[in-house]
């Protein structure tokens, strides 16, 4: 019996995979033999990742589009052909940067748009675009990268957390509606990772009060790295994950533990 995870012949679309967590996932899926569609808002970032995957012997194509624009999403998915695995990864922790904390009472509706459009609408758009072909093909995997901000609450990040909780809720309904078509849907909920999104936190070696407070709340006192979730994502996306659905699996250094 082989325990290696291979995704040969599977086509995966990973949103926001021009850097950070998505880039790590794109490399892992490429190494596992999947045909990787590297999406990002920024064309040059997507193309860089494609070049890296190809140099490593994998197969990849850049599919730049904005996940918040449903027409662009459907047009890109239509051109790409059927997609077996969708990783909803594109996210936005706020236009003012990750460290910015705003109490909900101090926000206005105009401030909410940026969070909801990417973190919730982006997931709705991409999932809606790929799902019909998964249903008719009788196989599919949907992974959505969410945040502990949406599970445990996040003082100062309420709207981001609400958007992530909404996306996580969608996953559970997708699992129930589509299990009979051979489709699974799961969330991976992350604690604070070291990626370009959070880089300001670590720029001074993580010595700021905010960085120290975050790390002291983790059993494993370091920020996560994209490598911390890649193997989990591969399992969930493979045939080995065929009886795991509707779940939210935390990759968070032991930040919170629930039964
Ligand atoms: N970094 C963390 O600490 C952390 C914690 C919890 C959850 N997450 C989630 O993990 C995911 C990846 O985060 P990251 O840290 O790698 O972020 P990042 O900001 O480093 O990278 C995100 C990528 O998504 C792209 N993107 C943004 N908006 C897009 C859009 N509208 N359409 C297409 N692409 C778009 C960006 O150009 C960027 O390349 C996000 O969903 C984020 O919310 C991150």
């Amino acid at each position: 019996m082989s325990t290696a995870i291979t995704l040969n012949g599977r086509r995966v679309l990973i949103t926001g995979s021009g850097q950070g967590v998505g880039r790590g996932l794109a490399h892992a899926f490429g190494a596992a033999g999947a045909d990787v569609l590297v999406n990002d808002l920024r064309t040059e970032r997507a193309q860089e990742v494609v070049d890296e995957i190809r140099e490593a012997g994998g197969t990849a194509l850049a599919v730049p589009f904005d996940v918040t624009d449903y027409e662009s999403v459907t047009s890109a998915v239509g051109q790409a052909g059927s997609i077996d695995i969708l990783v909803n990864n594109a996210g936005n922790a706020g236009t003012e940067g990750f460290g910015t904390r705003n109490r909900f009472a101090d926000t206005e509706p105009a401030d909410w748009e940026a969070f909801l459009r990417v973190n919730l609408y982006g997931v709705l758009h991409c999932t809606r675009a790929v799902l019909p072909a998964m249903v008719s093909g009788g196989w599919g995997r949907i992974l959505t990268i969410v945040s502990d901000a949406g599970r445990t609450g996040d003082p100062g990040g309420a709207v981001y957390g609400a958007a992530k909780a909404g996306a996580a809720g969608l996953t559970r309904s997708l699992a129930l509606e589509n299990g009979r078509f051979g489709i699974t849907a799961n969330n991976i909920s992350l604690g604070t990772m070291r990626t370009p999104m959070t880089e300001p936190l670590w720029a001074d070696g993580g010595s700021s009060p905010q960085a120290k407070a975050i790390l002291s709340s983790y059993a494993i006192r370091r920020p996560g790295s994209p490598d911390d979730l890649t193997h989990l994502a591969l399992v969930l996306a493979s045939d080995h994950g065929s009886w795991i659905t509707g779940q939210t699996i935390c990759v968070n250094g032991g930040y919170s533990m629930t039964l």
Side-chain angles (χ1 to χ4, degrees):
M1 172 189 162
S2 166
T3 53
I5 299 166
T6 54
L7 294 171
N8 293 333
R10 297 291 186 202
R11 174 174 265 216
V12 58
L13 169 64
I14 308 175
T15 66
S17 51
Q19 66 178 31
V21 167
R23 176 171 173 269
L25 291 170
H27 278 286
F29 277 81
D35 184 359
V36 187
L37 301 178
V38 179
N39 160 260
D40 206 278
L41 200 53
R42 306 267 300 268
T43 308
E44 74 289 355
R45 280 190 196 155
Q47 191 55 53
E48 259 175 45
V49 175
V50 165
D51 293 343
E52 290 164 3
I53 293 172
R54 288 181 181 164
E55 271 166 37
T59 310
L61 186 70
V63 285
F65 59 81
D66 181 346
V67 298
T68 70
D69 177 354
Y70 187 52
E71 274 185 29
S72 301
V73 173
T74 52
S75 153
V77 168
Q79 281 173 32
S82 69
I83 287 160
D84 306 297
I85 303 161
L86 169 66
V87 184
N88 285 309
N89 166 78
N92 181 354
T95 47
E96 296 163 48
F98 179 82
T100 315
R101 307 273 82 195
N102 289 312
R103 291 177 60 230
F104 182 68
D106 298 328
T107 66
E108 298 295 338
D111 304 322
W112 308 340
E113 282 296 308
F115 298 105
L116 294 168
R117 285 173 61 80
V118 182
N119 299 296
L120 181 55
Y121 272 88
V123 174
L124 293 166
H125 292 161
C126 295
T127 305
R128 176 65 183 84
V130 305
L131 195 51
M134 288 183 180
V135 169
S136 55
W139 197 96
R141 297 284 184 267
I142 299 167
L143 297 185
T144 300
I145 307 301
V146 295
S147 168
D148 278 0
R151 287 188 326 109
T152 63
D154 183 21
V159 183
Y160 173 71
K164 290 295 192 187
L170 174 73
T171 293
R172 292 184 278 275
S173 298
L174 291 172
L176 290 168
E177 288 181 359
N178 297 290
R180 68 203 155 108
F181 304 119
I183 297 168
T184 69
N186 290 288
N187 301 311
I188 297 179
S189 183
L190 301 179
T192 305
M193 316 293 286
R194 184 163 192 168
T195 67
M197 178 188 274
T198 61
E199 199 47 43
L201 265 182
W202 317 113
D204 60 358
S207 61
S208 70
Q210 191 186 4
K212 282 183 176 164
I214 289 172
L215 294 185
S216 66
S217 67
Y218 290 2
I220 298 166
R221 285 185 159 71
R222 65 166 174 83
S225 108
D227 289 344
D228 289 317
L229 68 141
T230 49
H231 286 80
L232 170 63
L234 292 178
V235 169
L236 293 174
S238 72
D239 285 325
H240 301 290
S242 66
W243 214 52
I244 306 171
T245 195
Q247 305 303 311
T248 297
I249 301 172
C250 298
V251 176
N252 64 9
Y255 166 65
S256 74
M257 305 174 199
T258 48
L259 286 174

PDB file of all heavy atoms in Angstrom, residues 157-183:
ATOM      1  N   GLY A 157     -11.137  43.074  14.880  1.00  0.00           N
ATOM      2  CA  GLY A 157     -11.200  42.505  13.530  1.00  0.00           C
ATOM      3  C   GLY A 157     -12.556  41.856  13.291  1.00  0.00           C
ATOM      4  O   GLY A 157     -12.649  40.785  12.674  1.00  0.00           O
ATOM      5  N   ALA A 158     -13.600  42.494  13.777  1.00  0.00           N
ATOM      6  CA  ALA A 158     -14.929  41.870  13.794  1.00  0.00           C
ATOM      7  C   ALA A 158     -15.469  41.565  12.395  1.00  0.00           C
ATOM      8  O   ALA A 158     -16.063  40.499  12.174  1.00  0.00           O
ATOM      9  CB  ALA A 158     -15.911  42.774  14.540  1.00  0.00           C
ATOM     10  N   VAL A 159     -15.265  42.474  11.462  1.00  0.00           N
ATOM     11  CA  VAL A 159     -15.876  42.272  10.135  1.00  0.00           C
ATOM     12  C   VAL A 159     -15.090  41.223   9.349  1.00  0.00           C
ATOM     13  O   VAL A 159     -15.681  40.370   8.669  1.00  0.00           O
ATOM     14  CB  VAL A 159     -15.994  43.610   9.378  1.00  0.00           C
ATOM     15  CG1 VAL A 159     -16.688  43.401   8.037  1.00  0.00           C
ATOM     16  CG2 VAL A 159     -16.760  44.620  10.225  1.00  0.00           C
ATOM     17  N   TYR A 160     -13.780  41.263   9.483  1.00  0.00           N
ATOM     18  CA  TYR A 160     -12.955  40.199   8.876  1.00  0.00           C
ATOM     19  C   TYR A 160     -13.410  38.849   9.440  1.00  0.00           C
ATOM     20  O   TYR A 160     -13.645  37.891   8.685  1.00  0.00           O
ATOM     21  CB  TYR A 160     -11.478  40.464   9.213  1.00  0.00           C
ATOM     22  CG  TYR A 160     -10.509  39.362   8.805  1.00  0.00           C
ATOM     23  CD1 TYR A 160     -10.205  39.122   7.472  1.00  0.00           C
ATOM     24  CD2 TYR A 160      -9.868  38.589   9.779  1.00  0.00           C
ATOM     25  CE1 TYR A 160      -9.295  38.133   7.113  1.00  0.00           C
ATOM     26  CE2 TYR A 160      -8.957  37.600   9.428  1.00  0.00           C
ATOM     27  CZ  TYR A 160      -8.672  37.375   8.095  1.00  0.00           C
ATOM     28  OH  TYR A 160      -7.770  36.397   7.741  1.00  0.00           O
ATOM     29  N   GLY A 161     -13.557  38.779  10.758  1.00  0.00           N
ATOM     30  CA  GLY A 161     -13.993  37.525  11.390  1.00  0.00           C
ATOM     31  C   GLY A 161     -15.366  37.104  10.915  1.00  0.00           C
ATOM     32  O   GLY A 161     -15.617  35.915  10.669  1.00  0.00           O
ATOM     33  N   ALA A 162     -16.266  38.079  10.767  1.00  0.00           N
ATOM     34  CA  ALA A 162     -17.624  37.759  10.309  1.00  0.00           C
ATOM     35  C   ALA A 162     -17.586  37.201   8.885  1.00  0.00           C
ATOM     36  O   ALA A 162     -18.295  36.239   8.556  1.00  0.00           O
ATOM     37  CB  ALA A 162     -18.501  39.006  10.374  1.00  0.00           C
ATOM     38  N   ALA A 163     -16.754  37.798   8.042  1.00  0.00           N
ATOM     39  CA  ALA A 163     -16.660  37.322   6.657  1.00  0.00           C
ATOM     40  C   ALA A 163     -16.101  35.895   6.621  1.00  0.00           C
ATOM     41  O   ALA A 163     -16.606  35.031   5.880  1.00  0.00           O
ATOM     42  CB  ALA A 163     -15.763  38.262   5.847  1.00  0.00           C
ATOM     43  N   LYS A 164     -15.086  35.630   7.432  1.00  0.00           N
ATOM     44  CA  LYS A 164     -14.489  34.289   7.457  1.00  0.00           C
ATOM     45  C   LYS A 164     -15.478  33.272   8.034  1.00  0.00           C
ATOM     46  O   LYS A 164     -15.554  32.130   7.563  1.00  0.00           O
ATOM     47  CB  LYS A 164     -13.201  34.291   8.287  1.00  0.00           C
ATOM     48  CG  LYS A 164     -12.053  35.048   7.637  1.00  0.00           C
ATOM     49  CD  LYS A 164     -11.614  34.379   6.343  1.00  0.00           C
ATOM     50  CE  LYS A 164     -10.310  34.911   5.804  1.00  0.00           C
ATOM     51  NZ  LYS A 164      -9.987  34.360   4.470  1.00  0.00           N
ATOM     52  N   ALA A 165     -16.239  33.681   9.057  1.00  0.00           N
ATOM     53  CA  ALA A 165     -17.244  32.774   9.625  1.00  0.00           C
ATOM     54  C   ALA A 165     -18.329  32.482   8.593  1.00  0.00           C
ATOM     55  O   ALA A 165     -18.839  31.351   8.520  1.00  0.00           O
ATOM     56  CB  ALA A 165     -17.849  33.386  10.886  1.00  0.00           C
ATOM     57  N   GLY A 166     -18.673  33.466   7.786  1.00  0.00           N
ATOM     58  CA  GLY A 166     -19.660  33.250   6.721  1.00  0.00           C
ATOM     59  C   GLY A 166     -19.156  32.234   5.708  1.00  0.00           C
ATOM     60  O   GLY A 166     -19.885  31.317   5.301  1.00  0.00           O
ATOM     61  N   ALA A 167     -17.903  32.381   5.317  1.00  0.00           N
ATOM     62  CA  ALA A 167     -17.324  31.434   4.356  1.00  0.00           C
ATOM     63  C   ALA A 167     -17.291  30.028   4.951  1.00  0.00           C
ATOM     64  O   ALA A 167     -17.583  29.039   4.267  1.00  0.00           O
ATOM     65  CB  ALA A 167     -15.918  31.892   3.965  1.00  0.00           C
ATOM     66  N   ALA A 168     -16.958  29.945   6.238  1.00  0.00           N
ATOM     67  CA  ALA A 168     -16.905  28.628   6.892  1.00  0.00           C
ATOM     68  C   ALA A 168     -18.292  28.000   6.952  1.00  0.00           C
ATOM     69  O   ALA A 168     -18.454  26.780   6.798  1.00  0.00           O
ATOM     70  CB  ALA A 168     -16.322  28.762   8.299  1.00  0.00           C
ATOM     71  N   GLY A 169     -19.299  28.824   7.151  1.00  0.00           N
ATOM     72  CA  GLY A 169     -20.678  28.316   7.175  1.00  0.00           C
ATOM     73  C   GLY A 169     -21.112  27.800   5.814  1.00  0.00           C
ATOM     74  O   GLY A 169     -21.793  26.772   5.707  1.00  0.00           O
ATOM     75  N   LEU A 170     -20.710  28.487   4.781  1.00  0.00           N
ATOM     76  CA  LEU A 170     -21.019  28.028   3.419  1.00  0.00           C
ATOM     77  C   LEU A 170     -20.486  26.609   3.209  1.00  0.00           C
ATOM     78  O   LEU A 170     -21.161  25.746   2.642  1.00  0.00           O
ATOM     79  CB  LEU A 170     -20.388  28.982   2.391  1.00  0.00           C
ATOM     80  CG  LEU A 170     -20.505  28.531   0.939  1.00  0.00           C
ATOM     81  CD1 LEU A 170     -21.941  28.694   0.434  1.00  0.00           C
ATOM     82  CD2 LEU A 170     -19.535  29.293   0.033  1.00  0.00           C
ATOM     83  N   THR A 171     -19.281  26.373   3.683  1.00  0.00           N
ATOM     84  CA  THR A 171     -18.649  25.050   3.522  1.00  0.00           C
ATOM     85  C   THR A 171     -19.543  23.937   4.057  1.00  0.00           C
ATOM     86  O   THR A 171     -19.677  22.874   3.433  1.00  0.00           O
ATOM     87  CB  THR A 171     -17.293  25.049   4.260  1.00  0.00           C
ATOM     88  OG1 THR A 171     -16.419  25.955   3.582  1.00  0.00           O
ATOM     89  CG2 THR A 171     -16.673  23.669   4.308  1.00  0.00           C
ATOM     90  N   ARG A 172     -20.133  24.161   5.232  1.00  0.00           N
ATOM     91  CA  ARG A 172     -20.957  23.096   5.838  1.00  0.00           C
ATOM     92  C   ARG A 172     -22.181  22.794   4.978  1.00  0.00           C
ATOM     93  O   ARG A 172     -22.551  21.628   4.783  1.00  0.00           O
ATOM     94  CB  ARG A 172     -21.340  23.490   7.272  1.00  0.00           C
ATOM     95  CG  ARG A 172     -20.127  23.495   8.207  1.00  0.00           C
ATOM     96  CD  ARG A 172     -20.498  23.781   9.646  1.00  0.00           C
ATOM     97  NE  ARG A 172     -20.660  25.187   9.919  1.00  0.00           N
ATOM     98  CZ  ARG A 172     -19.647  26.024  10.233  1.00  0.00           C
ATOM     99  NH1 ARG A 172     -18.424  25.578  10.314  1.00  0.00           N
ATOM    100  NH2 ARG A 172     -19.881  27.304  10.472  1.00  0.00           N
ATOM    101  N   SER A 173     -22.811  23.825   4.435  1.00  0.00           N
ATOM    102  CA  SER A 173     -23.965  23.579   3.554  1.00  0.00           C
ATOM    103  C   SER A 173     -23.525  22.906   2.262  1.00  0.00           C
ATOM    104  O   SER A 173     -24.207  22.005   1.750  1.00  0.00           O
ATOM    105  CB  SER A 173     -24.682  24.893   3.238  1.00  0.00           C
ATOM    106  OG  SER A 173     -25.180  25.455   4.426  1.00  0.00           O
ATOM    107  N   LEU A 174     -22.370  23.336   1.737  1.00  0.00           N
ATOM    108  CA  LEU A 174     -21.864  22.697   0.507  1.00  0.00           C
ATOM    109  C   LEU A 174     -21.614  21.213   0.745  1.00  0.00           C
ATOM    110  O   LEU A 174     -21.911  20.371  -0.118  1.00  0.00           O
ATOM    111  CB  LEU A 174     -20.554  23.357   0.070  1.00  0.00           C
ATOM    112  CG  LEU A 174     -20.636  24.788  -0.445  1.00  0.00           C
ATOM    113  CD1 LEU A 174     -19.226  25.340  -0.632  1.00  0.00           C
ATOM    114  CD2 LEU A 174     -21.417  24.850  -1.753  1.00  0.00           C
ATOM    115  N   ALA A 175     -21.070  20.893   1.910  1.00  0.00           N
ATOM    116  CA  ALA A 175     -20.791  19.485   2.235  1.00  0.00           C
ATOM    117  C   ALA A 175     -22.090  18.687   2.233  1.00  0.00           C
ATOM    118  O   ALA A 175     -22.167  17.591   1.648  1.00  0.00           O
ATOM    119  CB  ALA A 175     -20.100  19.394   3.591  1.00  0.00           C
ATOM    120  N   LEU A 176     -23.117  19.228   2.868  1.00  0.00           N
ATOM    121  CA  LEU A 176     -24.389  18.509   2.958  1.00  0.00           C
ATOM    122  C   LEU A 176     -25.061  18.376   1.593  1.00  0.00           C
ATOM    123  O   LEU A 176     -25.634  17.338   1.263  1.00  0.00           O
ATOM    124  CB  LEU A 176     -25.330  19.241   3.936  1.00  0.00           C
ATOM    125  CG  LEU A 176     -24.906  19.142   5.405  1.00  0.00           C
ATOM    126  CD1 LEU A 176     -25.715  20.118   6.263  1.00  0.00           C
ATOM    127  CD2 LEU A 176     -25.083  17.716   5.920  1.00  0.00           C
ATOM    128  N   GLU A 177     -24.998  19.434   0.805  1.00  0.00           N
ATOM    129  CA  GLU A 177     -25.686  19.399  -0.491  1.00  0.00           C
ATOM    130  C   GLU A 177     -24.998  18.505  -1.514  1.00  0.00           C
ATOM    131  O   GLU A 177     -25.647  17.965  -2.405  1.00  0.00           O
ATOM    132  CB  GLU A 177     -25.762  20.822  -1.084  1.00  0.00           C
ATOM    133  CG  GLU A 177     -26.749  21.732  -0.375  1.00  0.00           C
ATOM    134  CD  GLU A 177     -26.831  23.131  -0.984  1.00  0.00           C
ATOM    135  OE1 GLU A 177     -26.103  23.409  -1.962  1.00  0.00           O
ATOM    136  OE2 GLU A 177     -27.620  23.933  -0.479  1.00  0.00           O
ATOM    137  N   ASN A 178     -23.663  18.380  -1.395  1.00  0.00           N
ATOM    138  CA  ASN A 178     -22.915  17.794  -2.515  1.00  0.00           C
ATOM    139  C   ASN A 178     -22.170  16.498  -2.227  1.00  0.00           C
ATOM    140  O   ASN A 178     -21.508  15.960  -3.116  1.00  0.00           O
ATOM    141  CB  ASN A 178     -21.932  18.845  -3.055  1.00  0.00           C
ATOM    142  CG  ASN A 178     -22.671  20.044  -3.613  1.00  0.00           C
ATOM    143  OD1 ASN A 178     -23.324  19.940  -4.647  1.00  0.00           O
ATOM    144  ND2 ASN A 178     -22.612  21.159  -2.897  1.00  0.00           N
ATOM    145  N   GLY A 179     -22.290  16.002  -0.987  1.00  0.00           N
ATOM    146  CA  GLY A 179     -21.608  14.754  -0.664  1.00  0.00           C
ATOM    147  C   GLY A 179     -22.030  13.619  -1.583  1.00  0.00           C
ATOM    148  O   GLY A 179     -21.207  12.799  -2.004  1.00  0.00           O
ATOM    149  N   ARG A 180     -23.285  13.592  -1.941  1.00  0.00           N
ATOM    150  CA  ARG A 180     -23.772  12.475  -2.780  1.00  0.00           C
ATOM    151  C   ARG A 180     -23.228  12.538  -4.200  1.00  0.00           C
ATOM    152  O   ARG A 180     -23.393  11.594  -4.980  1.00  0.00           O
ATOM    153  CB  ARG A 180     -25.305  12.430  -2.768  1.00  0.00           C
ATOM    154  CG  ARG A 180     -25.970  13.571  -3.445  1.00  0.00           C
ATOM    155  CD  ARG A 180     -27.397  13.759  -2.914  1.00  0.00           C
ATOM    156  NE  ARG A 180     -27.834  15.116  -3.085  1.00  0.00           N
ATOM    157  CZ  ARG A 180     -28.734  15.501  -3.966  1.00  0.00           C
ATOM    158  NH1 ARG A 180     -29.313  14.613  -4.748  1.00  0.00           N
ATOM    159  NH2 ARG A 180     -29.084  16.756  -4.065  1.00  0.00           N
ATOM    160  N   PHE A 181     -22.598  13.651  -4.554  1.00  0.00           N
ATOM    161  CA  PHE A 181     -21.971  13.753  -5.875  1.00  0.00           C
ATOM    162  C   PHE A 181     -20.454  13.517  -5.812  1.00  0.00           C
ATOM    163  O   PHE A 181     -19.734  13.848  -6.760  1.00  0.00           O
ATOM    164  CB  PHE A 181     -22.230  15.137  -6.484  1.00  0.00           C
ATOM    165  CG  PHE A 181     -23.686  15.492  -6.587  1.00  0.00           C
ATOM    166  CD1 PHE A 181     -24.200  16.594  -5.915  1.00  0.00           C
ATOM    167  CD2 PHE A 181     -24.558  14.714  -7.347  1.00  0.00           C
ATOM    168  CE1 PHE A 181     -25.540  16.918  -6.000  1.00  0.00           C
ATOM    169  CE2 PHE A 181     -25.903  15.034  -7.429  1.00  0.00           C
ATOM    170  CZ  PHE A 181     -26.405  16.131  -6.752  1.00  0.00           C
ATOM    171  N   GLY A 182     -19.984  13.001  -4.684  1.00  0.00           N
ATOM    172  CA  GLY A 182     -18.547  12.718  -4.572  1.00  0.00           C
ATOM    173  C   GLY A 182     -17.721  13.966  -4.285  1.00  0.00           C
ATOM    174  O   GLY A 182     -16.510  13.985  -4.523  1.00  0.00           O
ATOM    175  N   ILE A 183     -18.405  14.980  -3.758  1.00  0.00           N
ATOM    176  CA  ILE A 183     -17.716  16.259  -3.507  1.00  0.00           C
ATOM    177  C   ILE A 183     -17.593  16.472  -2.001  1.00  0.00           C
ATOM    178  O   ILE A 183     -18.571  16.302  -1.264  1.00  0.00           O
ATOM    179  CB  ILE A 183     -18.511  17.429  -4.138  1.00  0.00           C
ATOM    180  CG1 ILE A 183     -18.560  17.243  -5.658  1.00  0.00           C
ATOM    181  CG2 ILE A 183     -17.905  18.779  -3.758  1.00  0.00           C
ATOM    182  CD1 ILE A 183     -19.547  18.149  -6.355  1.00  0.00           C
TER     183      ILE A 183
END
